[in-house]
Amino acid sequence: MVLSGDPVKMYARCHLIMDMLLIMDVPSVLPPAEELNMRIKKTLSSPSASHYNNYSSQATTGDEIKSKGPVKGHSDVLKEPSSLNTKPDVEGPKSRHDTGLSVYETDRSCEHEFGSYCLWARKNRRVMKDSNVKRLKDQLFVARAYYPSIAKIKGKETLTRELKQNIQDHERILTEAVSDPDLPPLVGKKISNMDKIIAEAKSCPIDCTNIDRKLRQILDLTEDEAQFHMKQSAFLYQLGVQTMSKTFHCLLMRLTVEFFKSPASIMDHISVSEIGNPSYQHYLIFSKNILALSVTINSTVLNSEESDRMVFHVLTDKQNFYSMKHWFVRHSYGNATIDILNFDELKSNHISNLDLGEMSMSEEFRISSHTISQRSPLQMGTKYLSVFGHSHFLLADMFKDLKKVVLLDDDVIVQKDISFLWNLDLGGKVIGATEFCGVKLGHLKSYLGTTMYDNNDCAWMSGINIVDLEKWRELDITGVYERIVNQLKQENEVQWRAAALPANLLAFHGHIYTLDNTLVQQGLGHDYEVSEDSLKNAAALHYNGNMKPWLDLAIPKYKIYWKKYLTRDERYMEECNVNP
Ligand SMILES: *[C@@H]1O[C@H](CO)[C@@H](O)[C@H](O)[C@H]1NC(C)=O
Ligand SMILES: *[C@@H]1O[C@H](CO)[C@@H](O)[C@H](O)[C@H]1NC(C)=O
């Protein structure tokens, strides 16, 4: 049994949300390493936290901080807006907001602290754009680094609350704003509030090694700015997860140990006739998070008229396999059959010629664009998309006996009977999906290349999808997908994962049956503005976005809909203090 590895990773759901800037902005002149270096030094050497001074002086002389060396000319600092191998669409007029001021210009101590850097920054201030957005991101980063430590201190409840509130405010602003002109009018106040809170947090007598470690980690991440922000958001997301990782880890260990202690769980009492029976309703879920999974299944079963013929096939990785198996020995869900599968094993048994890597969940993308000139039809701000991960494309081979399946993401809850999906006539299409017209294929031209497609076609969402596997095999969707992925440049893991977006949209182009948009309310992991009516009436809720309902920093008013389906009857959760 393999249970090594970083506990954070195990629970982090691998939900790297990818930032994609569609329309290239005039790049910031600053190499981000340099910029970050400056700011972190500044943070750390603030007089209120004298114990950091040590670190600061170390950092300047030591080599932990990977600065990119001398500032480069701005033409080669930022070549690509995203990790994809596409040319940024720079034909559009230059952004009209070229006059952002350097943060440092107004900071008197700047020159004193940073020496010639400041002179340089002042000279080049014209291109130091969107300084407030960058400022917000920095503050968010620092605040998040402090949050877990502050939350542990007795007597700091007010500060903890304020810090959390400010973090949420910042997140909220940043989900909507890409550039300074998108920012709400009172942003200056928010920035100065956050400054105060951070200063207060820093003055607390806390063990600085945690924070120190978190801040150091990010110094290693910097490559270019797009990359940097992408990683930063993944990193921030993991920080949120980290505050819970010990308890989650405990739960996983308890369940795994119990699995091996109890003979009942080792004996597979699921009959094969149910698992392969095409007349049953087969649901497929990829998951690495037992609580998320349990809630998705529970809500689906509870809201179905009958569960006798429901089979849930859960694909998970080897770290989670035994604990999940044991969980489902302890809990039952109506009369539904639960079939836990080890993806890694299944892959090595069934698939010989395809290699789409480790198990991946649905991939989420945050697509941003600046509003450019009036003549441009593109006015979209920031949109969230989620599509199948690479692993989904092995399903048609892995489940050879099945004709139709419903795919669920584990950040979905079902509130109504969705069995009507099984009776839909897809009219020869491969998958049923809700459309997402906030992004049209034409917007993604630079990512999709010149293949034939209709610019006005909408993107679509994963979350709940009905899939005709026979049609899938007949059209060799897997082969098509694989060819597209192989054609895209993938120099690193991020690019490789990002390839899922264009490959999904192209492989299924023309093969989508549109499901009614009222079926799923999307966006509960990022959008604060969803109305109560929509929440109540949607057949399903999709918590796509960073603020997953099981995380500490979930959006509170949406969390109750999720928590409703979480069992309150699990000894190991109590013992491990798991209480999302
Ligand atoms: C499960 O099956 C039993 C026996 O067939 C039946 O009496 C019961 O109502 C079913 N329960 C649910 C929740 O469907
Ligand atoms: C399913 O949800 C109900 C509440 O809606 C809860 O009482 C029950 O414990 C849950 N069952 C499992 C197995 O999680």
Side-chain angles (χ1 to χ4, degrees):
M1 115 191 186
V2 186
L3 270 176
S4 58
D6 175 6
V8 174
K9 248 200 188 137
M10 285 197 223
Y11 299 103
R13 222 194 151 228
C14 292
H15 242 106
L16 186 62
I17 295 224
M18 305 198 197
D19 272 305
M20 306 174 74
L21 288 174
L22 287 185
I23 301 229
M24 195 45 193
D25 203 9
V26 182
S28 154
V29 190
L30 277 182
E34 200 89 359
E35 184 186 7
L36 185 72
N37 184 343
M38 291 300 168
R39 291 190 191 185
I40 286 184
K41 272 202 285 186
K42 197 170 156 193
T43 312
L44 294 176
S45 59
S46 96
S48 59
S50 57
H51 49 270
Y52 287 124
N53 282 336
N54 248 348
Y55 170 45
S56 168
S57 52
Q58 244 174 37
T60 13
T61 52
D63 47 18
E64 286 97 342
I65 295 190
K66 294 194 183 121
S67 151
K68 282 208 169 166
V71 172
K72 292 185 229 159
H74 92 263
S75 60
D76 61 351
V77 173
L78 236 190
K79 287 174 230 93
E80 296 274 315
S82 82
S83 53
L84 287 178
N85 101 9
T86 46
K87 283 234 176 73
D89 187 358
V90 281
E91 272 139 45
K94 276 194 190 166
S95 164
R96 56 210 144 84
H97 324 298
D98 258 357
T99 49
L101 293 179
S102 160
V103 182
Y104 305 109
E105 188 198 29
T106 53
D107 187 340
R108 279 217 200 117
S109 66
C110 165
E111 190 169 356
H112 172 69
E113 269 183 65
F114 303 131
S116 57
Y117 163 76
C118 248
L119 298 177
W120 174 86
R122 203 165 285 163
K123 256 206 334 255
N124 294 277
R125 66 169 185 222
R126 223 180 54 78
V127 285
M128 179 64 193
K129 290 181 62 251
D130 297 324
S131 56
N132 281 329
V133 166
K134 285 177 183 146
R135 191 79 195 287
L136 287 165
K137 287 185 181 174
D138 276 1
Q139 287 188 326
L140 185 59
F141 168 66
V142 175
R144 285 268 209 161
Y146 273 91
Y147 180 75
S149 306
I150 296 292
K152 284 196 199 104
I153 307 176
K154 290 235 157 53
K156 289 289 169 196
E157 289 76 17
T158 314
L159 178 60
T160 303
R161 220 173 22 251
E162 281 174 350
L163 196 53
K164 183 167 172 177
Q165 183 61 49
N166 276 272
I167 288 173
Q168 287 177 336
D169 282 354
H170 270 46
E171 281 170 344
R172 181 178 186 158
I173 293 172
L174 287 172
T175 55
E176 259 121 52
V178 176
S179 62
D180 278 5
D182 306 335
L183 292 170
L186 289 175
V187 71
K189 185 115 181 50
K190 300 250 183 230
I191 290 178
S192 68
N193 280 351
M194 187 64 124
D195 265 343
K196 278 191 216 121
I197 296 283
I198 289 176
E200 199 182 329
K202 276 192 220 157
S203 67
C204 289
I206 46 182
D207 177 8
C208 58
T209 53
N210 284 338
I211 293 165
D212 184 288
R213 200 184 61 228
K214 279 169 193 158
L215 290 173
R216 267 166 204 260
Q217 271 172 311
I218 207 163
L219 298 176
D220 290 332
L221 298 178
T222 329
E223 277 165 49
D224 63 40
E225 194 177 32
Q227 190 92 343
F228 166 68
H229 286 307
M230 181 153 55
K231 289 193 173 168
Q232 180 175 313
S233 64
F235 178 72
L236 289 176
Y237 173 68
Q238 291 204 346
L239 264 186
V241 176
Q242 207 163 15
T243 60
M244 288 180 57
S245 72
K246 259 197 199 127
T247 60
F248 259 132
H249 190 64
C250 165
L251 178 61
L252 179 124
M253 285 303 171
R254 286 304 304 263
L255 287 165
T256 304
V257 168
E258 291 305 318
F259 172 89
F260 285 100
K261 271 165 63 180
S262 103
S265 51
I266 299 181
M267 312 243 297
D268 242 327
H269 44 215
I270 301 168
S271 87
V272 182
S273 64
E274 285 155 10
I275 292 179
N277 189 337
S279 70
Y280 276 49
Q281 298 175 349
H282 294 269
Y283 294 84
L284 296 185
I285 310 178
F286 283 92
S287 183
K288 298 177 188 174
N289 181 326
I290 183 63
L291 298 184
L293 174 67
S294 172
V295 166
T296 303
I297 295 179
N298 197 17
S299 65
T300 309
V301 171
L302 280 183
N303 294 304
S304 303
E305 301 256 307
E306 57 133 15
S307 56
D308 297 30
R309 294 190 308 123
M310 285 178 137
V311 183
F312 290 86
H313 303 273
V314 176
L315 293 130
T316 190
D317 57 8
K318 51 184 183 290
Q319 280 92 347
N320 289 282
F321 177 67
Y322 299 105
S323 57
M324 284 193 179
K325 275 203 95 99
H326 193 61
W327 176 278
F328 289 100
V329 170
R330 297 172 64 79
H331 300 277
S332 57
Y333 300 77
N335 289 336
T337 305
I338 317 282
D339 173 30
I340 308 290
L341 298 161
N342 182 340
F343 180 83
D344 302 310
E345 210 171 89
L346 209 60
K347 204 176 79 172
S348 58
N349 287 350
H350 292 284
I351 314 293
S352 47
N353 54 344
L354 273 177
D355 188 15
L356 291 170
E358 295 199 347
M359 186 179 106
S360 50
M361 322 262 297
S362 290
E363 297 283 6
E364 297 190 35
F365 294 88
R366 194 164 74 181
I367 302 184
S368 311
S369 74
H370 290 245
T371 310
I372 51 171
S373 76
Q374 299 85 326
R375 64 185 174 81
S376 159
L378 182 53
Q379 297 239 338
M380 49 186 264
T382 301
K383 306 287 177 195
Y384 288 72
L385 259 190
S386 82
V387 297
F388 296 159
H390 293 317
S391 298
H392 286 73
F393 290 84
L394 300 175
L395 295 177
D397 285 327
M398 285 181 170
F399 295 89
K400 282 203 160 57
D401 295 336
L402 303 183
K403 294 180 175 151
K404 260 191 186 178
V405 292
V406 167
L407 292 180
L408 296 174
D409 283 349
D410 72 355
D411 54 356
V412 163
I413 64 164
V414 173
Q415 309 192 110
K416 293 191 176 153
D417 193 340
I418 53 167
S419 55
F420 72 91
L421 287 174
W422 298 98
N423 303 324
L424 280 182
D425 177 4
L426 297 185
K429 306 289 187 191
V430 179
I431 61 172
T434 51
E435 272 188 329
F436 182 69
C437 292
V439 177
K440 304 214 165 159
L441 299 196
H443 294 145
L444 298 168
K445 227 181 196 66
S446 54
Y447 298 95
L448 298 179
T450 52
T451 332
M452 294 294 285
Y453 54 83
D454 185 340
N455 283 344
N456 284 320
D457 271 5
C458 297
W460 54 273
M461 293 284 286
S462 74
I464 294 194
N465 304 97
I466 173 97
V467 181
D468 184 338
L469 290 177
E470 288 181 305
K471 200 77 195 169
W472 180 309
R473 293 180 198 110
E474 184 190 317
L475 295 169
D476 189 23
I477 297 288
T478 305
V480 173
Y481 183 84
E482 209 193 2
R483 279 193 291 282
I484 298 168
V485 170
N486 287 338
Q487 278 161 17
L488 294 162
K489 186 179 90 182
Q490 302 136 28
E491 286 171 354
N492 54 45
E493 202 213 335
V494 172
Q495 287 189 353
W496 181 74
R497 287 181 60 184
L501 178 62
N504 264 270
L505 294 176
L506 292 174
F508 287 116
H509 184 249
H511 303 309
I512 304 282
Y513 173 92
T514 307
L515 298 175
D516 193 316
N517 263 322
T518 59
L519 177 69
V520 194
Q521 174 61 52
Q522 312 275 0
L524 272 57
H526 67 86
D527 181 358
Y528 284 82
E529 311 293 334
V530 179
S531 76
E532 203 151 310
D533 272 358
S534 318
L535 291 170
K536 294 222 162 93
N537 294 331
L541 303 177
H542 190 186
Y543 292 79
N544 59 310
N546 265 330
M547 294 176 253
K548 300 294 181 206
W550 53 85
L551 296 179
D552 211 18
L553 290 161
I555 300 174
K557 62 180 171 175
Y558 306 148
K559 194 163 176 163
I560 48 170
Y561 292 88
W562 182 84
K563 218 171 156 173
K564 187 170 141 194
Y565 296 105
L566 184 65
T567 180
R568 273 162 294 248
D569 185 24
E570 170 53 66
R571 181 159 63 94
Y572 299 138
M573 279 169 71
E574 255 166 60
E575 286 175 14
C576 290
N577 206 9
V578 175
N579 183 26

